[in-house]
Amino acid sequence: MLFNEIVFGPIMSRRFGKSLGINLLPLDNKICNFNCIYCECGWTDLREVNSKFTSRELVVKAMSERFFEIKKSNDIPDSITFAGNGEPTMHPDFAAIIDHTIRLRDEFLPGVKIVVLSNSALLGNQVVFNALNKVDARVMKLDAGTEAQFVKIDQPLSRRKFRWYIDRLKEFKGNLYIQTLFLRGRVNNENVDNTKESEIIAWINILKEINPIMVMIYSIDRETPAKGLEKISNLELEGICQKVIDAGIPAKYF
């Protein structure tokens, strides 16, 4: 499922209420530095990773027009959420676009939260890190407790070790949200399962290091590119959520 607009919605989000989406990626293909087996946008086409991004000027124009329309209609969203067809922080003008978004939000939609969903892969870029610190909510991916499951589930395109991502997340000093998708199945003739007790324990120990504002727990909601993946029941998600809460970290399941 690809988003064919720069600004889309508002749509009802399980986690963010009435959400106005911002897609900085091309409208006809996915660009990402991960290749997650569950991504609703499909597989990452490695030939497209260096594709041309939507220009900053077009993004700002689309936001200006849509924010103005929304203000006139009084259909005010709960959040302005950067998501779309891949990893938003990959846009070369990501930091400048965040500055424009804050300005336009303050002009047309004061009080609406700006949210960025990210896989954390570009946290080593200080410009990206600084831009993320300007928004109201940074929602960062952490889909595993061990290197083995991280590689199987998220399939990062870089050769960075799992520990690198954890250390970068710690640099937010707790001022972030963590999102984790739980699943199990068999992919590429290998078992994939981040719901095992040993995996949950390792994941919670990492959460204690990161100390996020909240952990958002969810499972598959749409068709996935990898077949044979199992949607985890609400009962099981509730149990995982309770273990996080028992560890002293706020959590919700969706």
Side-chain angles (χ1 to χ4, degrees):
M1 185 185 82
L2 293 174
F3 297 94
N4 58 8
E5 297 177 283
I6 298 171
V7 183
F8 56 93
I11 60 175
M12 288 307 300
S13 164
R14 289 183 288 174
R15 292 167 290 160
F16 308 113
K18 187 189 294 183
S19 174
L20 183 68
I22 309 294
N23 173 37
L24 300 185
L25 292 310
L27 306 182
D28 57 354
N29 66 277
K30 172 190 172 186
I31 298 182
C32 196
N33 38 27
F34 276 19
N35 198 12
C36 298
I37 60 177
Y38 61 79
C39 182
E40 64 184 33
C41 295
W43 294 118
T44 299
D45 186 341
L46 301 184
R47 296 168 300 178
E48 300 289 353
V49 169
N50 294 316
S51 291
K52 185 177 180 181
F53 291 83
T54 304
S55 71
R56 175 175 62 181
E57 291 75 18
L58 281 178
V59 172
V60 173
K61 181 175 183 291
M63 287 196 299
S64 299
E65 292 173 354
R66 191 75 179 97
F67 289 10
F68 177 71
E69 291 173 1
I70 288 173
K71 181 178 180 180
K72 282 179 60 179
S73 69
N74 205 33
D75 184 25
I76 308 300
D78 299 304
S79 65
I80 298 163
T81 305
F82 284 82
N85 300 333
E87 172 56 35
T89 64
M90 290 182 70
H91 195 292
D93 288 328
F94 174 74
I97 289 170
I98 289 297
D99 288 339
H100 283 295
T101 307
I102 293 169
R103 174 181 60 81
L104 293 170
R105 183 275 310 273
D106 291 347
E107 179 180 353
F108 295 110
L109 304 171
V112 175
K113 291 184 177 181
I114 299 172
V115 179
V116 177
L117 308 186
S118 174
N119 63 20
S120 312
L122 290 179
L123 290 183
N125 182 321
Q126 192 64 43
V127 173
V128 169
F129 182 82
N130 291 343
L132 286 169
N133 272 304
K134 293 179 180 180
V135 304
D136 299 293
R138 294 142 293 285
V139 184
M140 315 303 289
K141 181 196 298 288
L142 182 67
D143 287 331
T146 63
E147 178 96 32
Q149 291 299 321
F150 166 64
V151 171
K152 289 179 182 180
I153 295 171
D154 292 339
Q155 300 189 123
L157 303 189
S158 77
R159 296 184 179 181
R160 291 192 178 101
K161 294 296 185 181
F162 185 42
R163 186 72 226 181
W164 182 91
Y165 293 88
I166 298 166
D167 289 342
R168 299 292 79 72
L169 290 169
K170 289 169 65 176
E171 292 177 0
F172 286 111
K173 301 186 184 304
N175 190 17
L176 76 164
Y177 295 78
I178 291 293
Q179 60 174 356
T180 303
L181 186 142
F182 285 96
L183 52 75
R184 62 174 71 94
R186 191 165 179 82
V187 179
N188 298 326
N189 295 317
E190 290 188 298
N191 291 325
V192 179
D193 187 354
N194 61 353
T195 69
K196 294 183 293 186
E197 185 66 19
S198 59
E199 189 73 22
I200 296 294
I201 291 170
W203 172 70
I204 289 177
N205 285 336
I206 293 169
L207 292 176
K208 289 178 181 177
E209 289 189 61
I210 297 170
N211 191 32
I213 296 167
M214 178 179 289
V215 180
M216 299 174 173
I217 297 167
Y218 60 114
S219 189
I220 297 165
D221 191 47
R222 298 183 177 93
E223 186 177 354
T224 60
K227 306 307 175 186
L229 296 178
E230 177 185 339
K231 178 180 173 67
I232 305 305
S233 71
N234 284 343
L235 183 62
E236 191 170 353
L237 291 178
E238 182 181 12
I240 295 169
C241 184
Q242 189 58 53
K243 289 178 181 179
V244 178
I245 293 170
D246 290 344
I249 302 167
K252 288 184 179 180
Y253 69 95
F254 299 86

